[in-house]
Amino acid sequence: MADEKPKIDSEKYGLKKTDDGYKVDAKSLLASVGGVQGFIEATVPGLVYVLSFAIWQDLTISIVLVSIAMVALIIRHFLAKRPASALVGPVLGIALAIYLAQRPEGQPRDFYLTGFITNASYGAGLLLSVLVRFPIIGVLVGFMTEQGLKWRKERRKMRFFNLVTLLWVGFFASRLAVQLPMYWANDVVSLGFTRIVMGTPYFLLMIWISWLLLRKVVSAEQDGILDK
């Protein structure tokens, strides 16, 4: 219907809706990355690549083993009767990473090149949202809690959502700041293990920190300290 408010699936962002409002726990955090299966699919290809390269220092062996791992994950995915759409992103991401590393002018370190582009794009998009006064974190929270954009009329909430959005800008910027020097130094092994640590675990930590900041806003009453 025309008067229905758009909604966002809160579980994708680590929030669990309860009778008393919203909360974040270990289960909801894991749900934000697709559960155990999603965590495995996000972590295993990169782990296989860096471990095999650390052992053999051979791009071809690493690519073959990553390809085998991806086939195994795809089979496991469908045996678990998970939606095919959940595989599109990971499969395309690994396929592009393999192409970049194996292309004529490519190098083993280029397996990680797409990650830099993704982090830079997300960080720039979040920063732009703050500059145009539509901080993305505020937009997400507003629609997840069916409050729309009402928060934009309250100066303190606007500042608060700007702050949390900038925190996520820092998240993506920190990945670039730590990992780009390793890429330029051609330190594939250190880059690979750092990418794993600053991947899903770091992402889940950021969701938890965001929740600690946002829980007064993401409440049943939508009140708290920001309205005082």
Side-chain angles (χ1 to χ4, degrees):
M1 294 177 64
D3 58 345
E4 288 185 350
K5 298 177 181 178
K7 296 180 182 179
I8 295 175
D9 185 359
S10 60
E11 290 187 1
K12 291 183 178 179
Y13 300 93
L15 287 178
K16 178 188 293 184
K17 190 170 185 179
T18 68
D19 293 338
D20 299 323
Y22 295 85
K23 72 175 183 177
V24 168
D25 55 22
K27 187 175 180 180
S28 64
L29 279 174
L30 195 57
S32 71
V33 293
V36 174
Q37 180 75 11
F39 181 84
I40 292 173
E41 291 170 359
T43 306
V44 167
L47 182 60
V48 169
Y49 182 83
V50 69
L51 283 177
S52 59
F53 193 83
I55 295 170
W56 291 290
Q57 296 288 308
D58 188 294
L59 177 61
T60 300
I61 292 175
S62 296
I63 293 301
V64 169
L65 291 178
V66 168
S67 300
I68 292 172
M70 282 304 298
V71 171
L73 288 174
I74 290 171
I75 293 173
R76 174 189 170 95
H77 185 95
F78 285 111
L79 287 177
K81 297 181 179 180
R82 287 166 55 85
S85 58
L87 268 179
V88 175
V91 171
L92 288 180
I94 292 298
L96 181 56
I98 290 173
Y99 164 75
L100 291 172
Q102 280 199 316
R103 73 195 197 282
E105 66 275 25
Q107 300 180 52
R109 65 179 183 175
D110 291 334
F111 183 83
Y112 301 106
L113 192 57
T114 54
F116 297 127
I117 298 171
T118 300
N119 282 292
S121 299
Y122 284 160
L126 286 162
L127 180 58
L128 179 62
S129 75
V130 172
L131 294 177
V132 300
R133 297 181 57 77
F134 267 92
I136 289 177
I137 298 301
V139 173
L140 291 176
V141 170
F143 287 121
M144 278 192 292
T145 57
E146 301 180 37
Q147 296 296 305
L149 299 175
K150 293 178 182 178
W151 52 270
R152 296 193 72 249
K153 299 177 182 179
E154 301 176 40
R155 185 176 300 176
R156 296 192 68 182
K157 282 190 176 182
M158 173 69 81
R159 288 201 302 263
F160 185 80
F161 286 129
N162 279 338
L163 173 63
V164 180
T165 302
L166 287 173
L167 183 66
W168 278 91
V169 173
F171 165 76
F172 292 110
S174 66
R175 282 177 164 179
L176 295 173
V178 172
Q179 297 170 23
L180 274 174
M182 298 178 188
Y183 176 84
W184 289 325
N186 203 28
D187 190 349
V188 178
V189 176
S190 295
L191 175 58
F193 284 116
T194 302
R195 281 288 294 272
I196 292 171
V197 173
M198 299 188 77
T200 303
Y202 190 31
F203 173 76
L204 294 177
L205 175 62
M206 281 298 301
I207 290 181
W208 177 248
I209 292 173
S210 298
W211 167 247
L212 294 179
L213 295 171
L214 290 168
R215 57 185 175 179
K216 286 294 184 179
V217 181
V218 187
S219 64
E221 299 80 12
Q222 291 300 295
D223 291 327
I225 59 172
L226 294 180
D227 290 329
K228 294 180 180 178

